[in-house]
Amino acid sequence: MEARAYLKYARISPRKVCIVLDLIRGKSADEAMGILKNTHKSASEYLIKLLNSAVANAENNFGMDKSKLYVSECFVCPGPTLKRMMPRARGSADRILKRTSHVTIAVKERD
């Protein structure tokens, strides 16, 4: 049995989130939280809240023991991209892509 938490439409590029998710995959929940709190990446703020939510879901909805939890699965999918224009020289324009992410974290109990 596993508990999941989702973060949808986060205004951060999936590429940036994936770097931080690779650090916590397979780690215990406490160790993953320590890694996130000491990682100086903008994605860490989003993932700290998401991991806390997944742990709370496991405790309250499934009655799992917090000390035995580990990050069993975590991944990011690209969300919709906001397209903006930036004026350039001689009346032309460049497209700015503001990417969004859908992040999923699942936690399980170790046997």
Side-chain angles (χ1 to χ4, degrees):
M1 186 179 301
E2 68 180 13
R4 290 176 173 257
Y6 304 97
L7 172 63
K8 300 222 172 189
Y9 305 104
R11 260 296 290 123
I12 187 167
S13 169
R15 189 173 173 178
K16 294 176 183 177
V17 177
C18 192
I19 291 169
V20 183
L21 284 178
D22 289 340
L23 296 175
I24 64 168
R25 189 174 290 117
K27 303 279 195 305
S28 69
D30 294 332
E31 188 179 351
M33 187 58 66
I35 290 170
L36 289 175
K37 286 184 177 178
N38 291 303
T39 301
H40 300 293
K41 294 277 190 184
S42 57
S44 296
E45 295 174 29
Y46 292 105
L47 296 179
I48 286 171
K49 289 183 180 181
L50 191 60
L51 183 59
N52 281 332
S53 178
V55 169
N57 289 343
E59 285 182 297
N60 296 321
N61 299 345
F62 301 107
M64 296 182 190
D65 183 16
K66 184 178 180 180
S67 61
K68 293 181 182 177
L69 292 177
Y70 74 101
V71 179
S72 61
E73 188 179 19
C74 57
F75 58 91
V76 61
C77 300
T81 301
L82 306 173
K83 294 169 180 79
R84 301 291 182 258
M85 300 304 279
M86 176 180 251
R88 300 308 297 235
R90 299 167 62 193
S92 64
D94 275 351
R95 181 179 274 185
I96 304 284
L97 300 177
K98 296 181 178 272
R99 301 184 189 278
T100 61
S101 303
H102 299 322
V103 188
T104 303
I105 291 183
V107 293
K108 277 187 181 176
E109 254 185 339
R110 281 205 203 276
D111 296 330

